[in-house]
């Protein structure tokens, strides 16, 4: 696997992201997993804390959600947060 696809940082939660350090290093984008990273698996939409935090992050970074969940799970988060989504194909859901 190419090195640029391997996480270089592991944190307790998204609120521990060292924004200032990443900006100083020239980081332009952040990629987030959805389930158990942005939200619990039983949450259907982002809570207000997540929405406010992502609004702050969007000032300095391009944000993405990368998920192996189907679009019906991921899309409400992308819509509410106003960020790009990369998710699994929904073809398996149609079987």
């Amino acid at each position: 696997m190419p090195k640029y696809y391997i996480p270089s940082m592991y944190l307790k939660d998204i609120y521990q992201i060292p924004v200032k350090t990443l900006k100083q290093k020239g980081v332009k984008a952040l990629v987030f997993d959805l389930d158990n990273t942005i939200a619990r698996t039983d949450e259907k939409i982002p809570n207000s804390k997540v929405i406010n935090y992502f609004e702050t992050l969007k000032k300095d970074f391009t944000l993405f959600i990368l998920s192996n969940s189907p679009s019906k799970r991921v899309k409400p988060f992308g819509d509410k947060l106003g960020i790009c989504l990369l998710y699994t194909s929904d073809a398996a859901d149609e079987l």
Side-chain angles (χ1 to χ4, degrees):
M1 176 183 286
K3 184 176 182 175
Y4 53 88
Y5 290 128
I6 298 172
S8 60
M9 182 180 304
Y10 297 89
L11 304 168
K12 178 182 176 203
D13 59 51
I14 61 174
Y15 306 105
Q16 305 301 313
I17 294 171
V19 173
K20 184 177 178 182
T21 300
L22 295 178
K23 284 173 43 178
Q24 289 173 340
K25 290 184 175 190
V27 171
K28 303 287 186 209
L30 300 176
V31 179
F32 294 88
D33 183 31
L34 175 58
D35 293 327
N36 297 316
T37 300
I38 294 173
R40 295 184 324 260
T41 56
D42 64 337
E43 291 179 292
K44 304 297 183 205
I45 58 171
N47 62 45
S48 60
K49 184 177 180 182
V50 170
I51 292 170
N52 292 334
Y53 186 58
F54 273 65
E55 285 302 315
T56 300
L57 290 176
K58 286 195 298 189
K59 294 175 185 174
D60 297 303
F61 305 101
T62 301
L63 305 177
F64 297 90
I65 294 175
L66 177 65
S67 179
N68 62 349
S69 295
S71 63
K72 67 183 178 186
R73 166 78 177 131
V74 182
K75 192 170 181 336
F77 285 84
D79 291 347
K80 282 277 193 187
L81 297 173
I83 62 175
C84 297
L85 305 171
L86 302 165
Y87 50 86
T88 189
S89 167
D90 289 338
D93 293 344
E94 297 172 9
L95 297 176

